[in-house]
């Protein structure tokens, strides 16, 4: 699930978040992300850089791509995700 949601092509890293809520490009948002069995969640600010509308012709899940803020929290989450995903980052499999 993390591999499918991670947006490594975004400068500071990011995640695709399935949602029915309406967002606009560039909108600021806050995420609370719990990874694997980590006890404490990661709290990170970000901005919307991708929108897949509900009912898109590609049958992809509707939602938003959020780029992590270029701050300590964003960098910490990006680094942690990339450690977890390791070799999967070079995969050619499609993601959300």
């Amino acid at each position: 699930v993390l591999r499918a949601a991670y947006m490594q092509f975004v400068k500071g890293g990011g995640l695709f978040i399935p949602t029915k809520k309406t967002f606009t490009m560039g909108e600021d948002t806050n995420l609370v992300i719990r990874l694997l069995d980590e006890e404490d969640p990661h709290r990170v600010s970000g901005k919307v850089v991708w929108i897949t509308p509900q009912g898109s012709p590609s049958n992809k899940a509707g939602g938003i791509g959020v780029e992590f803020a270029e701050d300590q929290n964003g960098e910490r989450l990006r680094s942690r995700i990339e450690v977890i995903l390791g070799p999967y980052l070079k995969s050619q499999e499609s993601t959300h």
Side-chain angles (χ1 to χ4, degrees):
V1 172
L2 182 60
R3 166 68 185 104
Y6 186 57
M7 300 173 72
Q8 71 187 51
F9 54 86
V10 175
K11 182 179 177 186
L15 287 173
F16 178 81
I17 309 295
T19 182
K20 292 181 181 179
K21 184 177 175 188
T22 302
F23 287 84
T24 58
M25 290 294 288
E27 184 175 341
D28 292 327
T29 189
N30 295 300
L31 301 175
V32 178
I33 305 294
R34 187 179 311 267
L35 297 173
L36 301 173
D37 58 355
E38 292 181 356
E39 189 171 316
D40 295 325
H42 295 264
R43 299 177 188 283
V44 64
S45 299
K47 68 177 177 178
V48 176
V49 296
W50 183 283
I51 298 175
T52 302
Q54 294 293 319
S56 71
S58 64
N59 290 325
K60 296 271 189 180
I64 58 171
V66 177
E67 178 181 27
F68 305 146
E70 292 184 32
D71 62 15
Q72 184 177 7
N73 291 340
E75 175 60 26
R76 186 178 307 124
L77 179 56
R78 182 192 64 76
S79 294
R80 181 67 183 121
I81 288 171
E82 291 185 355
V83 165
I84 292 169
L85 293 178
Y88 293 105
L89 292 173
K90 295 181 182 183
S91 171
Q92 296 300 314
E93 289 183 33
S94 67
T95 62
H96 291 299

